[in-house]
């Protein structure tokens, strides 16, 4: 499996500000994803981070609110822009297609716990 | 052991008993299914997966059963331990490399 790290692990932010979350994987991966998990809820896919091109967003999520970068096969960032209390959630990085593994298993990072005041 | 559907979000079992966690999936065309375990304050951890051409797959202390006729997936945990206490999510996908759709999650609580 992959070792996935996220920074920051948690943050408390003021409304109207923006936060960029980083995801680093210890091996090259084919696909990277960003999920949101609201308190006590299941996981909702925000977008697929595409290397070298614009991310693919799911219904209800837009680039202006959640800009994503993926400059290479091991790193991605998610920015939560112009935050409001409704953005308080856990944001999870996920990867699939580890180099040399040969499976489609999808792994998750530890999450970033965001509270917006 | 006890079994619970998604309409009962918590399952409580005695340490040492077998646990059965059930999941009803929505898409009859789904080909790939996966179970995750999420402990408090952590990200989801892969447990086991199964493709639709199989009915059963076993791992270490866990077994996943797939009933395509009634669109039902279950996770069996043998000899449940306190470390098994967590929220368990099932997920389905049209293909193994397509996006996952997650179920609501079930909390497993192990009584000492």
């Amino acid at each position: 499996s992959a070792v996935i790290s996220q920074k920051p692990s948690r943050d408390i932010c003021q409304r109207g500000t923006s936060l960029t979350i980083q995801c680093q994987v210890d091996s090259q991966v084919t696909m990277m994803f960003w999920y949101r998990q609201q308190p006590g809820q299941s996981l909702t896919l925000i977008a697929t981070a595409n290397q070298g091109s614009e991310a693919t967003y799911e219904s209800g999520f837009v680039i202006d609110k959640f800009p994503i970068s993926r400059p290479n096969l091991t790193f991605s960032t998610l920015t939560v822009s112009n935050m409001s209390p409704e953005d308080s959630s856990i944001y999870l990085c996920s990867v699939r297609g580890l180099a040399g593994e040969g499976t489609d298993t999808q792994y998750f990072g530890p999450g970033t716990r965001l509270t917006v005041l | 052991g006890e079994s619970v559907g998604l309409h009962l979000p918590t399952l409580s079992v005695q340490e040492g008993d077998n646990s059965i966690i059930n999941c009803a999936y929505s898409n009859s065309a789904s080909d790939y299914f996966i179970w995750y375990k999420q402990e408090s304050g952590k990200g989801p951890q892969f447990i086991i997966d199964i493709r639709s051409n199989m009915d059963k797959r076993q791992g270490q202390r866990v077994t996943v059963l797939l009933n395509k006729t009634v669109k039902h997936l279950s996770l069996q945990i043998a000899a449940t331990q306190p470390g098994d206490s967590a929220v368990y999510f099932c997920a389905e996908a049209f293909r193994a490399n397509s996006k996952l759709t997650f179920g609501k999650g079930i909390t497993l609580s192990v009584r000492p």
Side-chain angles (χ1 to χ4, degrees), chain A residues 81-100:
Chain A
S81 303
N82 187 25
M83 288 183 284
S84 67
E86 292 70 35
D87 294 319
S88 297
S89 190
I90 300 170
Y91 291 86
L92 293 153
C93 175
S94 183
V95 305
R96 180 194 290 165
L98 272 64

Side-chain angles (χ1 to χ4, degrees), chain A residues 31 33 35 37 40-45 48 58 90 92 94 96 103-111 113, chain B residues 32 34 36 38-46 49 51 89 93 95-100 102-105:
Chain A
M31 303 187 76
F33 309 90
Y35 286 79
Q37 185 178 27
Q41 301 294 315
S42 188
L43 285 74
T44 300
L45 179 63
T48 302
E58 297 299 306
I90 300 170
L92 293 153
S94 183
R96 180 194 290 165
T103 72
D104 294 302
T105 304
Q106 189 166 328
Y107 301 99
F108 285 83
R113 283 145 187 81
Chain B
Y32 177 69
I34 189 167
Y36 287 94
Q38 187 174 28
E39 297 174 272
S40 181
K42 297 183 179 180
Q45 176 188 356
F46 168 80
D49 59 2
R51 283 181 165 74
F89 292 98
R95 294 184 305 274
N97 62 356
S98 59
K99 66 179 181 181
L100 296 176
F102 281 81
K104 294 182 181 179

